[in-house]
């Protein structure tokens, strides 16, 4: 793999500023945000008033813990536009999450927000090793989902050639990556695996591909998966994090030279980690739920948004801004099986150590005579399809999961293409228990 470390003078000065400079800027911006939200969003005014807190009570950054949380439900309750802090004619873009049940969650951006978002995605891409002039294949979905357009505007800001292909039609993805000579791909990690399969189907050697960098996010993925993709394509695999309520992709990103967790762009977002039970802030280094306060959002500022993502905060390395460890999973996705907490990423990690199995998987939870049972569906690799080979692979994975996660699961090894393929965010868990 090429050394793609960006030169220090290509960085935004704040990325490598002192902690004091960063904190001073955060405090100034946090005051502005609280004021803006209080004055212009009825929801925040009534929530602050109800507990007798006022933006002027913020004397230091840690005072943010005195303010109330915002949750996904609050976005639904204020559907569609009641959390907007500017008049409608100043909103230049709307995105929304599909929401499997009930109303979607809607977010609005001013022109300035769109511009800052593009800057932050450009910063994220530069951190990933992408350079002006590179060709970027954007396979995140375009539309109300923030992935496609978020990546697109960032790539444009950085000065790249963009191929706005969106998700789907995997055969064509591979043809166009190769014909247009993309050097960066932006896509969910699970869809990247489908693209990898397609390379093989087309008889192409992925290690010969022109791709140098993959910027993967929108769903949890492990370091084991990083190794798999990096070895298969001889490319860098870098993690990008974000969520629509806070902005979209580009809230945090790994640096290609370290790949040791994601630097949070702290000049625009203030992170906290809270305890899942007590909701009290935890200190850096401790695992809990990630909470964000935006510092520059005009259209829809958000105060102490509970992401449900589990991680911990770590000190800066390649940049002065703090890092978040790769997200283990969402608290909503945590499976509790006979008293043991399990995240799909733990299964992914083990699966990737069994060479006779492909990295595609899906977890099914069923009730079997009143007992919860977990089935892991996966596939054999080409050449290991016999009944005997598949049952051996199944036993190996079952043992590994038992050894590392501590639960007994059933592993069903299908033939190639037996597990549904992702074209965006993978559906990892199907829960068939009745409540
Ligand atoms: O997924 C934004 C995005 C698009 C991020 C493209 C990165 C790349 P939402 O649809 O609102 O926004 O989903 C946000 O996805 O709370 C996490 O649970 C999960 N997520 C996003 N990035 C990562 C990541 C976009 N790198 C939700 N690792 C978040 C783990 C991630 N989970």
């Amino acid at each position: 793999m090429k050394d793609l470390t960006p030169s220090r003078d290509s960085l935004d000065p704040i990325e490598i500023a002192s902690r004091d400079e960063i904190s001073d800027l955060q405090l100034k911006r946090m005051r502005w945000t609280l004021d803006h939200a209080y004055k212009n969003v009825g929801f925040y005014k009534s929530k602050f008033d109800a507990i007798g807190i006022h933006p002027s009570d913020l004397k230091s950054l840690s005072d943010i813990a005195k303010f109330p949380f915002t949750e996904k439900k609050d976005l639904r309750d204020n559907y569609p536009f009641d959390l907007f802090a500017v008049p409608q004619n100043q909103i230049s873009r709307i995105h929304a999450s599909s929401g499997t049940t009930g109303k979607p969650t809607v977010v609005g951006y001013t022109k300035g927000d769109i511009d800052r978002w593009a800057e932050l995605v450009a910063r994220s891409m530069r951190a990933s090793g992408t350079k002006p002039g590179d060709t970027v294949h954007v396979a995140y979905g375009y539309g109300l989902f923030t992935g496609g357009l978020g990546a697109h505007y960032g790539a444009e800001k950085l000065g790249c050639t963009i191929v706005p292909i969106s998700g789907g039609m995997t055969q064509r993805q591979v043809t166009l990556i190769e014909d247009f000579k993309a050097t960066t791909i932006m896509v969910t990690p699970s869809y990247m695996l489908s693209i990898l399969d397609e390379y093989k189907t087309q008889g192409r050697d992925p290690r010969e591909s022109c791709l140098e960098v993959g910027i993967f996010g929108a769903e949890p993925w492990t370091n084991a998966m990083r190794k798999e993709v990096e070895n298969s394509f001889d490319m860098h695999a870098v993690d990008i994090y974000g969520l629509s309520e806070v902005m979209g992709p580009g809230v945090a990103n790994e640096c290609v030279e370290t790949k040791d967790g994601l630097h949070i762009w702290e000049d625009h977002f203030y992170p906290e980690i809270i305890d899942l039970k007590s909701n009290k802030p935890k200190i850096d280094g401790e695992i809990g739920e990630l909470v964000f306060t935006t510092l520059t959002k005009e259209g829809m500022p958000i105060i102490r948004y509970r992401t449900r993502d589990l991680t911990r905060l770590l000190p800066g390395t390649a940049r002065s801004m703090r890092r978040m460890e790769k997200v283990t999973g969402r608290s909503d996705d945590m499976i509790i099986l006979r008293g043991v907490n399990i995240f799909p990423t733990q299964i992914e990690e083990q699966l990737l150590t069994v060479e006779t199995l492909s990295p595609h998987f899906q977890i099914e939870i069923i009730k079997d005579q009143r007992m919860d049972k977990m089935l892991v569906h996966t596939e054999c690799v080409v050449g290991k399809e016999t009944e005997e080979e598949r049952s051996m692979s199944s036993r190996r994975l079952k043992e590994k999961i038992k050894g590392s996660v501590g639960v007994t699961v059933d592993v069903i090894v299908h033939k190639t293409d037996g597990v549904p393929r992702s074209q965006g965010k993978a559906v990892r868990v199907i829960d068939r228990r009745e409540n």
Side-chain angles (χ1 to χ4, degrees), residues 69-81:
F69 293 113
T70 307
E71 302 194 50
K72 202 172 195 85
K73 178 179 179 304
D74 297 320
L75 272 79
R76 296 219 172 94
D77 292 347
N78 287 282
Y79 177 87
F81 301 149

PDB file of all heavy atoms in Angstrom, residues 69-81:
ATOM      1  N   PHE A  69     -30.903  16.195  27.637  1.00  0.00           N
ATOM      2  CA  PHE A  69     -30.568  15.432  26.427  1.00  0.00           C
ATOM      3  C   PHE A  69     -31.624  15.648  25.348  1.00  0.00           C
ATOM      4  O   PHE A  69     -32.756  16.032  25.646  1.00  0.00           O
ATOM      5  CB  PHE A  69     -30.551  13.928  26.732  1.00  0.00           C
ATOM      6  CG  PHE A  69     -29.453  13.508  27.654  1.00  0.00           C
ATOM      7  CD1 PHE A  69     -29.742  13.033  28.930  1.00  0.00           C
ATOM      8  CD2 PHE A  69     -28.136  13.570  27.243  1.00  0.00           C
ATOM      9  CE1 PHE A  69     -28.722  12.630  29.784  1.00  0.00           C
ATOM     10  CE2 PHE A  69     -27.103  13.166  28.091  1.00  0.00           C
ATOM     11  CZ  PHE A  69     -27.405  12.705  29.371  1.00  0.00           C
ATOM     12  N   THR A  70     -31.240  15.359  24.127  1.00  0.00           N
ATOM     13  CA  THR A  70     -32.201  15.290  23.032  1.00  0.00           C
ATOM     14  C   THR A  70     -32.139  13.861  22.506  1.00  0.00           C
ATOM     15  O   THR A  70     -31.059  13.277  22.449  1.00  0.00           O
ATOM     16  CB  THR A  70     -31.821  16.271  21.900  1.00  0.00           C
ATOM     17  OG1 THR A  70     -31.653  17.568  22.474  1.00  0.00           O
ATOM     18  CG2 THR A  70     -32.891  16.338  20.829  1.00  0.00           C
ATOM     19  N   GLU A  71     -33.303  13.292  22.161  1.00  0.00           N
ATOM     20  CA  GLU A  71     -33.333  11.915  21.694  1.00  0.00           C
ATOM     21  C   GLU A  71     -34.056  11.822  20.357  1.00  0.00           C
ATOM     22  O   GLU A  71     -34.742  12.762  19.958  1.00  0.00           O
ATOM     23  CB  GLU A  71     -34.063  11.036  22.715  1.00  0.00           C
ATOM     24  CG  GLU A  71     -33.408  11.115  24.072  1.00  0.00           C
ATOM     25  CD  GLU A  71     -33.885  10.027  25.004  1.00  0.00           C
ATOM     26  OE1 GLU A  71     -33.875   8.860  24.569  1.00  0.00           O
ATOM     27  OE2 GLU A  71     -34.254  10.341  26.130  1.00  0.00           O
ATOM     28  N   LYS A  72     -33.925  10.656  19.738  1.00  0.00           N
ATOM     29  CA  LYS A  72     -34.575  10.450  18.437  1.00  0.00           C
ATOM     30  C   LYS A  72     -36.076  10.739  18.525  1.00  0.00           C
ATOM     31  O   LYS A  72     -36.659  11.335  17.623  1.00  0.00           O
ATOM     32  CB  LYS A  72     -34.333   9.009  17.967  1.00  0.00           C
ATOM     33  CG  LYS A  72     -34.484   8.870  16.477  1.00  0.00           C
ATOM     34  CD  LYS A  72     -34.071   7.503  15.988  1.00  0.00           C
ATOM     35  CE  LYS A  72     -33.888   7.489  14.498  1.00  0.00           C
ATOM     36  NZ  LYS A  72     -32.594   7.922  14.011  1.00  0.00           N
ATOM     37  N   LYS A  73     -36.660  10.342  19.639  1.00  0.00           N
ATOM     38  CA  LYS A  73     -38.092  10.545  19.827  1.00  0.00           C
ATOM     39  C   LYS A  73     -38.450  12.035  19.729  1.00  0.00           C
ATOM     40  O   LYS A  73     -39.511  12.403  19.225  1.00  0.00           O
ATOM     41  CB  LYS A  73     -38.480   9.998  21.213  1.00  0.00           C
ATOM     42  CG  LYS A  73     -39.907  10.186  21.576  1.00  0.00           C
ATOM     43  CD  LYS A  73     -40.199   9.603  22.959  1.00  0.00           C
ATOM     44  CE  LYS A  73     -41.656   9.817  23.355  1.00  0.00           C
ATOM     45  NZ  LYS A  73     -42.092  11.204  23.334  1.00  0.00           N
ATOM     46  N   ASP A  74     -37.560  12.894  20.209  1.00  0.00           N
ATOM     47  CA  ASP A  74     -37.828  14.340  20.144  1.00  0.00           C
ATOM     48  C   ASP A  74     -37.913  14.809  18.689  1.00  0.00           C
ATOM     49  O   ASP A  74     -38.670  15.724  18.370  1.00  0.00           O
ATOM     50  CB  ASP A  74     -36.737  15.128  20.889  1.00  0.00           C
ATOM     51  CG  ASP A  74     -36.709  14.781  22.377  1.00  0.00           C
ATOM     52  OD1 ASP A  74     -37.794  14.632  22.964  1.00  0.00           O
ATOM     53  OD2 ASP A  74     -35.606  14.628  22.929  1.00  0.00           O
ATOM     54  N   LEU A  75     -37.113  14.195  17.833  1.00  0.00           N
ATOM     55  CA  LEU A  75     -37.175  14.569  16.409  1.00  0.00           C
ATOM     56  C   LEU A  75     -38.507  14.117  15.823  1.00  0.00           C
ATOM     57  O   LEU A  75     -39.141  14.830  15.055  1.00  0.00           O
ATOM     58  CB  LEU A  75     -36.012  13.956  15.619  1.00  0.00           C
ATOM     59  CG  LEU A  75     -34.737  14.810  15.597  1.00  0.00           C
ATOM     60  CD1 LEU A  75     -33.956  14.673  16.893  1.00  0.00           C
ATOM     61  CD2 LEU A  75     -33.850  14.443  14.421  1.00  0.00           C
ATOM     62  N   ARG A  76     -38.934  12.925  16.215  1.00  0.00           N
ATOM     63  CA  ARG A  76     -40.220  12.420  15.712  1.00  0.00           C
ATOM     64  C   ARG A  76     -41.372  13.283  16.217  1.00  0.00           C
ATOM     65  O   ARG A  76     -42.278  13.623  15.474  1.00  0.00           O
ATOM     66  CB  ARG A  76     -40.443  10.976  16.181  1.00  0.00           C
ATOM     67  CG  ARG A  76     -39.435  10.021  15.626  1.00  0.00           C
ATOM     68  CD  ARG A  76     -40.075   8.676  15.261  1.00  0.00           C
ATOM     69  NE  ARG A  76     -39.092   7.876  14.549  1.00  0.00           N
ATOM     70  CZ  ARG A  76     -38.293   6.987  15.146  1.00  0.00           C
ATOM     71  NH1 ARG A  76     -38.389   6.756  16.439  1.00  0.00           N
ATOM     72  NH2 ARG A  76     -37.414   6.320  14.431  1.00  0.00           N
ATOM     73  N   ASP A  77     -41.309  13.642  17.512  1.00  0.00           N
ATOM     74  CA  ASP A  77     -42.395  14.441  18.081  1.00  0.00           C
ATOM     75  C   ASP A  77     -42.479  15.820  17.452  1.00  0.00           C
ATOM     76  O   ASP A  77     -43.514  16.469  17.509  1.00  0.00           O
ATOM     77  CB  ASP A  77     -42.197  14.610  19.601  1.00  0.00           C
ATOM     78  CG  ASP A  77     -42.369  13.291  20.339  1.00  0.00           C
ATOM     79  OD1 ASP A  77     -42.876  12.331  19.716  1.00  0.00           O
ATOM     80  OD2 ASP A  77     -41.984  13.223  21.524  1.00  0.00           O
ATOM     81  N   ASN A  78     -41.383  16.295  16.910  1.00  0.00           N
ATOM     82  CA  ASN A  78     -41.359  17.626  16.316  1.00  0.00           C
ATOM     83  C   ASN A  78     -41.378  17.580  14.796  1.00  0.00           C
ATOM     84  O   ASN A  78     -40.949  18.513  14.131  1.00  0.00           O
ATOM     85  CB  ASN A  78     -40.144  18.406  16.829  1.00  0.00           C
ATOM     86  CG  ASN A  78     -40.351  18.817  18.274  1.00  0.00           C
ATOM     87  OD1 ASN A  78     -41.058  19.772  18.549  1.00  0.00           O
ATOM     88  ND2 ASN A  78     -39.776  18.059  19.202  1.00  0.00           N
ATOM     89  N   TYR A  79     -41.859  16.448  14.280  1.00  0.00           N
ATOM     90  CA  TYR A  79     -41.948  16.225  12.836  1.00  0.00           C
ATOM     91  C   TYR A  79     -42.861  17.255  12.188  1.00  0.00           C
ATOM     92  O   TYR A  79     -43.908  17.548  12.761  1.00  0.00           O
ATOM     93  CB  TYR A  79     -42.485  14.810  12.602  1.00  0.00           C
ATOM     94  CG  TYR A  79     -42.706  14.439  11.164  1.00  0.00           C
ATOM     95  CD1 TYR A  79     -41.677  13.917  10.409  1.00  0.00           C
ATOM     96  CD2 TYR A  79     -43.964  14.616  10.572  1.00  0.00           C
ATOM     97  CE1 TYR A  79     -41.880  13.564   9.084  1.00  0.00           C
ATOM     98  CE2 TYR A  79     -44.171  14.268   9.252  1.00  0.00           C
ATOM     99  CZ  TYR A  79     -43.124  13.746   8.512  1.00  0.00           C
ATOM    100  OH  TYR A  79     -43.323  13.397   7.207  1.00  0.00           O
ATOM    101  N   PRO A  80     -42.616  17.819  11.016  1.00  0.00           N
ATOM    102  CA  PRO A  80     -41.354  17.632  10.336  1.00  0.00           C
ATOM    103  C   PRO A  80     -40.309  18.711  10.666  1.00  0.00           C
ATOM    104  O   PRO A  80     -39.132  18.412  10.714  1.00  0.00           O
ATOM    105  CB  PRO A  80     -41.736  17.699   8.851  1.00  0.00           C
ATOM    106  CG  PRO A  80     -42.948  18.575   8.803  1.00  0.00           C
ATOM    107  CD  PRO A  80     -43.648  18.416  10.128  1.00  0.00           C
ATOM    108  N   PHE A  81     -40.753  19.967  10.903  1.00  0.00           N
ATOM    109  CA  PHE A  81     -39.759  21.044  10.904  1.00  0.00           C
ATOM    110  C   PHE A  81     -39.627  21.807  12.216  1.00  0.00           C
ATOM    111  O   PHE A  81     -38.982  22.855  12.258  1.00  0.00           O
ATOM    112  CB  PHE A  81     -40.105  22.060   9.801  1.00  0.00           C
ATOM    113  CG  PHE A  81     -40.156  21.474   8.413  1.00  0.00           C
ATOM    114  CD1 PHE A  81     -41.028  22.005   7.446  1.00  0.00           C
ATOM    115  CD2 PHE A  81     -39.339  20.418   8.049  1.00  0.00           C
ATOM    116  CE1 PHE A  81     -41.070  21.474   6.166  1.00  0.00           C
ATOM    117  CE2 PHE A  81     -39.381  19.878   6.770  1.00  0.00           C
ATOM    118  CZ  PHE A  81     -40.257  20.405   5.827  1.00  0.00           C
TER     119      PHE A  81
END
